[in-house]
Amino acid sequence: MSQKWDKLIVALDLDDKAKIKEVVKVLSPKGVKFKIGSIAFTKFGPDFVKEFIEEGKDIFLDLKLYDIPNTMKKTAAIIAEMGCWAFTVHLQAGEQALKGVKNEVIETANKLGKRRPLILGVSVLTSSLATQDEVNELVSLADSVGLDGVIASPRDAKGIKAGFNKLKVITPGIRNPGSDAGDQLRITPASIAFANGADYIVVGRPIISQDRYLEAAERILKG
Ligand code: C5P
């Protein structure tokens, strides 16, 4: 499974700076990407994110934007300016907001000569239950406005890829059999997520709550 390291996104859901840096130090030589969400962003702010980007790390800023179109597009422009690899918006924000985000991100990246961050739409949180129809309706909006991908349960990945093959599918909710699911409801091991067509898997606690991050990540990729 060594070829899958570049498909692993490690969620840095920690409020301890030293620990975050340690996880990044141990796992970046493997070529993984890192996700900074509301926990670390709220505690350490944008400069902390920029530090990693300046070191050449691929950072996925997972703030799950969900607001009126003007607020979303202005926030998206700042994220594009930071040089993040990817960021999330809630698909429920609707067509106008999502189109505004896309246009703003393209414009900002072009103006600054930076790579454009991937815009990933959150369909339904993997801690909630949803039908395939509900997921597909939101995903079809992501497709029609030209987002780059969606965040979805590994169990929904196959259906999404079947209907919308241009969209990247990023799946949290990854657990090895017999391990603690935490608050995640719709889970699978990594092998099933990839077999279902996931382009990337997002994994937090099964790696960051362990003492040996590298071995924990290896176990997940073998799972
Ligand atoms: O610790 P765990 O592996 O459950 O972490 C999953 C990560 O993916 C968390 O950072 C969570 O916020 C994020 N996420 C999710 N479900 C979504 C979108 C993001 O679990 N639909």
Side-chain angles (χ1 to χ4, degrees):
M1 273 285 164
S2 55
Q3 74 277 17
K4 299 281 189 203
W5 283 105
D6 61 340
K7 306 280 179 203
L8 173 62
I9 303 172
V10 179
L12 301 171
D13 294 330
L14 295 162
D15 59 3
D16 175 337
K17 207 183 247 189
K19 202 164 170 187
I20 292 179
K21 290 197 166 178
E22 186 58 24
V23 175
V24 172
K25 190 172 140 202
V26 170
L27 291 173
S28 28
K30 291 289 182 188
V32 307
K33 301 183 189 303
F34 296 99
K35 183 170 88 69
I36 295 184
S38 53
I39 300 173
F41 188 78
T42 308
K43 181 113 185 185
F44 305 118
D47 288 343
F48 184 65
V49 179
K50 282 188 224 158
E51 249 178 66
F52 287 127
I53 294 172
E54 276 156 22
E55 288 169 9
K57 315 272 189 286
D58 280 338
I59 298 295
F60 167 9
L61 190 61
D62 184 22
L63 300 180
K64 300 186 179 66
L65 307 183
Y66 187 5
D67 214 312
I68 57 169
N70 180 62
T71 306
M72 281 184 66
K73 77 175 193 193
K74 292 204 157 140
T75 311
I78 297 168
I79 293 172
E81 218 176 288
M82 289 168 78
C84 293
W85 168 72
F87 71 102
T88 40
V89 291
H90 265 286
L91 294 171
Q92 279 161 359
E95 187 176 353
Q96 193 196 341
L98 300 174
K99 279 187 175 161
V101 163
K102 173 138 193 212
N103 292 337
E104 194 72 18
V105 161
I106 291 173
E107 228 173 79
T108 308
N110 284 346
K111 197 168 69 196
L112 301 175
K114 294 202 172 193
R115 71 174 173 177
R116 177 176 80 72
L118 300 178
I119 308 168
L120 306 176
V122 177
S123 54
V124 180
L125 294 174
T126 38
S127 56
S128 327
L129 294 167
T131 65
Q132 187 75 58
D133 283 350
E134 287 168 324
V135 172
N136 277 352
E137 199 179 312
L138 286 165
V139 172
S140 93
L141 177 60
D143 190 56
S144 68
V145 301
L147 298 200
D148 301 289
V150 291
I151 314 290
S153 156
R155 296 191 188 175
D156 299 331
K158 204 178 218 163
I160 294 172
K161 280 287 181 184
F164 310 94
N165 63 2
K166 281 201 312 265
L167 289 174
K168 292 188 195 308
V169 178
I170 290 90
T171 62
I174 303 298
R175 293 293 184 273
N176 281 349
S179 67
D180 183 8
D183 49 4
Q184 298 283 17
L185 287 180
R186 293 176 298 134
I187 55 173
T188 72
S191 56
I192 306 273
F194 289 128
N196 284 352
D199 295 281
Y200 296 96
I201 58 169
V202 174
V203 185
R205 289 162 292 179
I207 297 175
I208 60 171
S209 68
Q210 303 296 307
D211 292 331
R212 303 180 70 86
Y213 309 127
L214 190 61
E215 286 80 350
E218 274 166 354
R219 276 199 300 278
I220 279 289
L221 287 177
K222 282 187 194 135

